[in-house]
Amino acid sequence: MTSDTRTAKERLMDDMKAVVQDAEELLKATAGQTGDKISAVRARAEENLREMRRKMGEMEEDLVERAKTAAKATDELVHERPWQSIAVVGGVAFLLGLLAGRR
């Protein structure tokens, strides 16, 4: 998974968490209101929040699993080809140094 995809998913998770938190606060704020219509809406909202929390948990587990897999693959590659890994890291560090030095 690319870093852009990972950061996009992390931002999506943060946004989803914020929506869930706001919805929970809204439900708490309307807890004192009664009526059939408001009760039905609250019940539907609570069910949707439970489902959203479940899906967020699954997404989070998936992200953690993918990160572990990527870390393991990187570790194996570095152990299989240490000199190439050192050369790549050195090249990237050199380029970053050049870019930073131009400022």
Side-chain angles (χ1 to χ4, degrees):
M1 179 180 352
T2 65
S3 63
D4 291 338
T5 304
R6 184 174 27 255
T7 56
K9 285 187 177 184
E10 289 171 355
R11 283 194 311 258
L12 177 62
M13 285 293 294
D14 291 341
D15 291 345
M16 287 175 63
K17 287 178 182 178
V19 168
V20 167
Q21 185 177 13
D22 291 345
E24 287 173 341
E25 289 177 15
L26 181 62
L27 287 173
K28 288 177 186 175
T30 60
Q33 297 181 2
T34 58
D36 293 337
K37 195 169 190 173
I38 193 79
S39 296
V41 170
R42 285 179 52 79
R44 213 170 48 240
E46 288 171 353
E47 178 59 34
N48 288 339
L49 283 173
R50 278 192 293 275
E51 184 66 17
M52 172 107 32
R53 276 193 222 109
R54 185 188 64 77
K55 287 181 181 179
M56 285 175 26
E58 289 175 1
M59 286 177 62
E60 207 163 19
E61 288 173 6
D62 182 51
L63 285 173
V64 168
E65 188 61 38
R66 287 181 185 217
K68 286 180 182 179
T69 302
K72 184 177 180 181
T74 302
D75 185 53
E76 289 174 1
L77 180 67
V78 168
H79 281 91
E80 289 173 6
R81 299 181 175 147
W83 291 110
Q84 289 176 344
S85 300
I86 291 170
V88 169
V89 169
V92 170
F94 178 74
L95 290 175
L96 288 174
L98 282 177
L99 292 173
R102 289 185 179 195
R103 291 182 181 185

